[in-house]
Amino acid sequence: MPKYIEISCKTACNRVNSDFLPFNWDLNIYRGCEHKCQYCFAVYSHKYMESENFFDEIYVKKNIVECFEKQISSKRWKKSVINIGGVTDSYQPAEKQYKIMPEILKLCIKHKVPISLSTKSKLILRDFDLFAELATLVPVNITCTITTVNENIRKLIEPNAAPAKDRFNNLKEFSKTNVNTGIFIMPIIPELTDSYNNLSMLYKTAKENNVNYAFHLR
Ligand code: SF4
């Protein structure tokens, strides 16, 4: 069982300087992630915190909702797209207890903030109505990273994340709304997830679940 450590933050959204990414701001309500993906790139971005155990010590930014409202209601805020959860999963198990995301989404609705969010959890469906409402006001993009249709391999590489079928179901449900949906097929791991059968099944299942786009990186 991971340890939850409550902390305060000074700002909610951090600037992302990238010509490649379709957003310039990132909002991470947690630091650390219980999903424990064996390929997690976010671990490396937290190397500066030597004592931190990224998967087992989850820092909860308790005042992030207040900080977020302050930031997006400022006259200087340019109504930019915000990526929610670039280096953590906003719907990891801690969110069941802390329920921060509904408050963030209510503020996005109030201030008409366009968002992008990626998750490997079916808990996102708890907030279905809020996403659907926001998507009637501004662009909303929801993606799930799905690397394999083989549940045995999924358990090895993403032990605490939802099975692929649940992630596809998330996208199928959101396809009934104005939300734009996508899958990230990455990483593609040699010998584990790079077979023709796996990749073609991922594309086929995405199509069957009305997913709008698929993106992959090798
Ligand atoms: S869901 Fe994302 S942030 Fe969480 S462990 Fe997996 S790759 Fe890392």
Side-chain angles (χ1 to χ4, degrees), residues 58-111:
I58 309 302
Y59 290 79
V60 183
K61 299 177 188 174
K62 281 289 281 179
N63 63 336
I64 198 161
V65 175
E66 294 78 29
C67 291
F68 186 50
E69 177 146 45
K70 196 170 160 198
Q71 206 164 1
I72 60 175
S73 57
S74 156
K75 284 188 183 140
R76 285 180 296 165
W77 183 254
K78 296 203 171 12
K79 304 204 178 295
S80 315
V81 178
I82 298 175
N83 183 53
I84 301 182
V87 287
T88 188
D89 194 315
S90 310
Y91 285 98
Q92 61 180 290
E95 174 59 16
K96 254 187 229 164
Q97 174 179 328
Y98 284 98
K99 300 185 178 70
I100 296 173
M101 275 306 298
E103 302 312 312
I104 295 289
L105 292 169
K106 285 175 201 166
L107 287 176
C108 291
I109 292 167
K110 181 177 167 189
H111 294 277

Side-chain angles (χ1 to χ4, degrees), residues 9 21 33 45 91 95 103 118 123 141-142 153 163:
C9 57
L21 297 169
C33 185
S45 66
Y91 285 98
E95 174 59 16
E103 302 312 312
S118 185
L123 182 60
N141 184 61
I142 292 178
I153 295 175

Side-chain angles (χ1 to χ4, degrees), residues 33 35-37 39-40 42 54-55 87-89 120:
C33 185
H35 285 163
K36 224 171 191 169
C37 305
Y39 52 76
C40 179
F54 187 81
F55 298 129
V87 287
T88 188
D89 194 315
K120 292 178 184 147

Side-chain angles (χ1 to χ4, degrees), residues 20-213:
F20 170 69
L21 297 169
F23 50 80
N24 294 116
W25 293 93
D26 198 23
L27 174 81
N28 292 286
I29 63 179
Y30 300 107
R31 195 165 73 215
C33 185
E34 297 171 63
H35 285 163
K36 224 171 191 169
C37 305
Q38 298 303 296
Y39 52 76
C40 179
F41 65 96
V43 173
Y44 303 105
S45 66
H46 290 73
K47 282 278 185 214
Y48 66 96
M49 304 192 71
E50 286 178 10
S51 64
E52 191 171 25
N53 182 337
F54 187 81
F55 298 129
D56 297 318
E57 288 182 358
I58 309 302
Y59 290 79
V60 183
K61 299 177 188 174
K62 281 289 281 179
N63 63 336
I64 198 161
V65 175
E66 294 78 29
C67 291
F68 186 50
E69 177 146 45
K70 196 170 160 198
Q71 206 164 1
I72 60 175
S73 57
S74 156
K75 284 188 183 140
R76 285 180 296 165
W77 183 254
K78 296 203 171 12
K79 304 204 178 295
S80 315
V81 178
I82 298 175
N83 183 53
I84 301 182
V87 287
T88 188
D89 194 315
S90 310
Y91 285 98
Q92 61 180 290
E95 174 59 16
K96 254 187 229 164
Q97 174 179 328
Y98 284 98
K99 300 185 178 70
I100 296 173
M101 275 306 298
E103 302 312 312
I104 295 289
L105 292 169
K106 285 175 201 166
L107 287 176
C108 291
I109 292 167
K110 181 177 167 189
H111 294 277
K112 297 190 174 55
V113 177
I115 61 164
S116 176
L117 181 144
S118 185
T119 185
K120 292 178 184 147
S121 169
K122 60 181 182 178
L123 182 60
I124 191 173
L125 293 181
R126 179 197 66 190
D127 298 340
F128 181 87
D129 291 346
L130 291 168
F131 281 106
E133 185 180 347
L134 182 61
T136 63
L137 304 171
V138 287
V140 174
N141 184 61
I142 292 178
T143 56
C144 290
T145 294
I146 308 179
T147 54
T148 178
V149 290
N150 182 318
E151 187 56 7
N152 291 329
I153 295 175
R154 196 280 303 162
K155 284 179 186 165
L156 279 178
I157 61 178
E158 302 160 347
N160 297 336
K165 70 175 176 41
D166 289 339
R167 298 182 222 174
F168 275 120
N169 185 55
N170 287 344
L171 299 172
K172 183 178 176 186
E173 290 304 309
F174 283 115
S175 76
K176 298 169 187 166
T177 71
N178 283 354
V179 169
N180 190 37
T181 59
I183 61 166
F184 289 148
I185 303 176
M186 54 192 202
I188 297 174
I189 305 171
E191 306 294 334
L192 272 184
T193 65
D194 65 343
S195 70
Y196 175 82
N197 184 51
N198 181 55
L199 296 174
S200 57
M201 277 302 291
L202 287 171
Y203 282 104
K204 182 171 173 281
T205 315
K207 189 174 178 197
E208 286 166 0
N209 286 281
N210 303 322
V211 175
N212 295 129
Y213 68 96

